Amino acid sequence: LSERGIRILFYSSLSIFAISTSILFLTGFKAVITLFLLLPGAMVLALYNNARRNFSDYLYYFVLDGLMMISALFTSIID
């Protein structure tokens, strides 16, 4: 993919994530849990420009991959 195609794919995926996670609130999930589920997406959005320029293994393995676990951690603490 071109740089533009990657950007479109990233923002499209993040939009689908945000919309589908927000729908959870409408189906009965607590607002605080929904917000904690949205938090990793916001963090990935904040790290996107840095991740495009920085190819560090630490960034990818510990930070970006670690964000996949953070939702489960937050919801297990809250619920």
Side-chain angles (χ1 to χ4, degrees), residues 12-24 34 38 41:
S12 299
S13 299
L14 204 56
S15 297
I16 292 168
F17 162 75
I19 291 167
S20 61
T21 304
S22 299
I23 290 172
L24 290 175
T34 306
L38 286 170

Side-chain angles (χ1 to χ4, degrees), residues 27-49:
T27 63
F29 275 68
K30 296 178 187 174
V32 69
I33 291 178
T34 306
L35 289 175
F36 278 131
L37 290 173
L38 286 170
L39 187 61
M43 294 167 117
V44 167
L45 181 62
L47 289 170
Y48 177 66
N49 286 328

